[in-house]
């Protein structure tokens, strides 16, 4: 009896397995249909870094500056992803920049509010300040509404010297912040100790920079006591001055001779006038007149 029952139990077990497998087939089929679509759907938004931002200088771009902790940025992400799906049709590149990971780009574009959106066309940057929906983004590109916005001045463009310096400053500040976090959190140095270390480092670097500037200034513009005496120039100057003085003496002597000649002529005229007056004023002798009579 038990030997006859065992084949039946085995048969029933096989039937249950077949029924379970038949019930799982639709589920597995549905999973296989959905899985390729889920794996094949990739984000069309490009991620820019401080090393790849120069790609913006060619072609047309829309760039979003965001931070993961920003609620407004989080609400914008679905619309931005949908807009990116139209990027190929509109022939525009859709990109984003995480300002917490790329502080240099944050300083290069002077990001003061989040999220911030820029439009770039062949190196000209314009700030987008319209509504933040997929349709508005599409109309902004398809209708070329960006032409009505004044582009950013070349002085404040991301590739200018000023903005490059600002980018370096932002990167330095982020590096200082990371060093401060490392000293206080990982090593366990007190906050005041970290500040003291940065103060000493600032003083030391300023001293080194000052010495370098003094050395360069002394090399480019040496002081007078270290300059060699320029004898040929001084001799030339002395000969020219002696010639000038000699010429002045000659002119002065000529003027004196002219004055002496004028004085002599004036003296002769005075003498003649005096003799004429003496003749006219000579008294008449009355005895002489009587004798003649």
């Amino acid at each position: 009896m038990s030997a006859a029952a065992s084949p039946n139990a085995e048969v029933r077990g096989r039937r249950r397995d077949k029924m379970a497998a038949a019930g799982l087939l639709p589920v597995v089929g549905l999973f296989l249909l959905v899985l390729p679509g889920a794996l094949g759907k990739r984000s069309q938004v490009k991620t820019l870094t401080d090393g790849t931002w120069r790609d913006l200088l060619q072609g047309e771009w829309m760039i979003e500056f965001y931070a993961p902790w920003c609620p407004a940025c989080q609400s914008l992400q679905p619309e931005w992803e949908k807009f990116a799906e139209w990027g190929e049709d509109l022939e525009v590149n859709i990109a984003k920049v995480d300002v917490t990971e790329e502080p240099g780009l944050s300083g290069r574009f002077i990001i003061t509010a989040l999220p911030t959106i820029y439009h770039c066309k062949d190196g000209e940057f314009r700030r987008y300040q319209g509504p933040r929906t997929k349709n508005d983004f599409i109309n902004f590109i398809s209708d070329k509404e960006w032409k009505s916005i004044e582009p950013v001045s070349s002085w404040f463009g991301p590739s200018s010297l000023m903005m490059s310096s600002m980018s370096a400053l932002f990167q330095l500040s982020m590096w200082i912040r990371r060093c401060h976090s490392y000293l206080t959190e990982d090593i366990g140095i007190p906050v005041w100790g970290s500040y003291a270390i940065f103060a000493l480092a600032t003083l030391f670097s300023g001293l080194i920079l000052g010495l370098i500037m003094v050395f360069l200034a002394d090399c480019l513009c040496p002081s007078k006591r270290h300059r060699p005496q320029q004898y040929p120039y001084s001799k030339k100057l002395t000969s020219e001055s002696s010639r000038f003085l000699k010429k002045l003496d000659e002119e002065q002597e000529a003027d004196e001779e002219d004055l002496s000649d004028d004085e002599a002529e004036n003296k002769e005229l005075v003498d003649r006038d005096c003799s004429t007056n003496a003749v006219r004023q000579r008294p008449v002798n009355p005895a002489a007149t009587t004798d003649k009579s």
Side-chain angles (χ1 to χ4, degrees):
M1 185 72 180
S2 60
S6 59
N8 294 333
E10 185 176 357
V11 170
R12 287 196 296 271
R14 289 178 180 178
R15 289 179 180 176
R16 285 196 298 269
D17 293 340
K18 289 180 180 180
M19 293 177 63
L24 290 174
L25 283 176
V27 177
V28 173
L30 181 62
F31 180 74
L32 292 175
L33 290 175
V34 174
L35 182 61
L39 295 176
K41 187 177 180 180
R42 296 177 57 187
S43 176
Q44 301 296 323
V45 180
K46 299 179 181 180
T47 301
L48 293 179
T49 62
D50 194 59
T52 61
W53 76 269
R54 291 189 178 274
D55 295 342
L56 299 173
L57 302 179
Q58 297 179 355
E60 189 171 8
W61 293 75
M62 286 286 284
I63 317 104
E64 176 204 3
F65 292 86
Y66 75 100
W69 48 262
C70 174
C73 300
Q74 295 173 2
S75 62
L76 175 62
Q77 291 309 310
E79 296 293 328
W80 197 252
E81 292 288 343
K82 294 177 183 178
F83 172 54
E85 295 175 359
W86 289 76
E88 186 176 355
D89 296 333
L90 297 173
E91 296 181 353
V92 61
N93 299 292
I94 314 300
K96 62 181 180 179
V97 178
D98 186 355
V99 296
T100 60
E101 297 293 333
E102 303 295 335
L105 289 181
S106 177
R108 192 177 293 275
F109 285 86
I110 309 296
I111 304 302
T112 57
L114 293 174
T116 298
I117 300 173
Y118 272 94
H119 172 268
C120 178
K121 177 69 174 178
D122 296 331
E124 287 187 350
F125 292 84
R126 295 172 173 85
R127 186 168 180 176
Y128 177 82
Q129 295 180 341
R132 299 170 181 174
T133 62
K134 180 194 73 173
N135 294 331
D136 293 315
F137 294 145
I138 293 174
N139 294 333
F140 182 78
I141 298 299
S142 61
D143 298 341
K144 296 184 178 181
E145 297 178 359
W146 50 268
K147 290 186 176 181
S148 61
I149 302 175
E150 188 70 20
V152 177
S153 173
S154 58
W155 289 96
F156 297 97
S159 58
S160 64
L161 178 61
M162 183 183 301
M163 293 299 101
S164 298
S165 302
M166 190 65 67
S167 174
L169 182 61
F170 271 62
Q171 289 178 347
L172 178 62
S173 64
M174 182 58 66
W175 180 80
I176 292 175
R177 181 178 179 181
R178 289 174 180 172
C179 290
H180 176 72
S181 300
Y182 174 76
L183 292 174
T184 55
E185 296 177 3
D186 296 344
I187 299 180
I189 296 177
V191 176
W192 63 267
S194 177
Y195 290 161
I197 291 174
F198 281 112
L200 292 175
T202 303
L203 292 175
F204 183 74
S205 60
L207 178 61
I208 298 298
L209 181 61
L211 291 175
I212 294 174
M213 293 179 65
V214 170
F215 177 75
L216 293 177
D218 190 57
C219 291
L220 297 175
C221 302
S223 58
K224 293 182 179 180
R225 62 181 180 179
H226 295 297
R227 292 179 182 175
Q229 296 181 0
Q230 299 176 355
Y231 292 105
Y233 178 76
S234 62
K235 289 182 179 179
K236 184 178 179 181
L237 181 62
T238 305
S239 61
E240 291 180 355
S241 61
S242 62
R243 291 176 184 176
F244 180 72
L245 293 174
K246 186 176 181 180
K247 186 177 181 180
L248 287 178
D249 293 337
E250 292 177 354
E251 291 179 355
Q252 187 174 2
E253 290 177 358
D255 292 340
E256 290 178 355
E257 289 178 358
D258 294 339
L259 289 175
S260 61
D261 293 339
D262 294 338
E263 289 178 355
E265 290 178 359
N266 293 332
K267 188 175 182 181
E268 290 179 358
L269 292 175
V270 171
D271 292 340
R272 290 177 183 177
D273 293 339
C274 292
S275 61
T276 304
N277 292 332
V279 172
R280 290 178 180 176
Q281 293 178 359
R282 181 178 298 174
V284 180
N285 192 355
T289 56
T290 304
D291 294 337
K292 288 182 180 181
S293 61

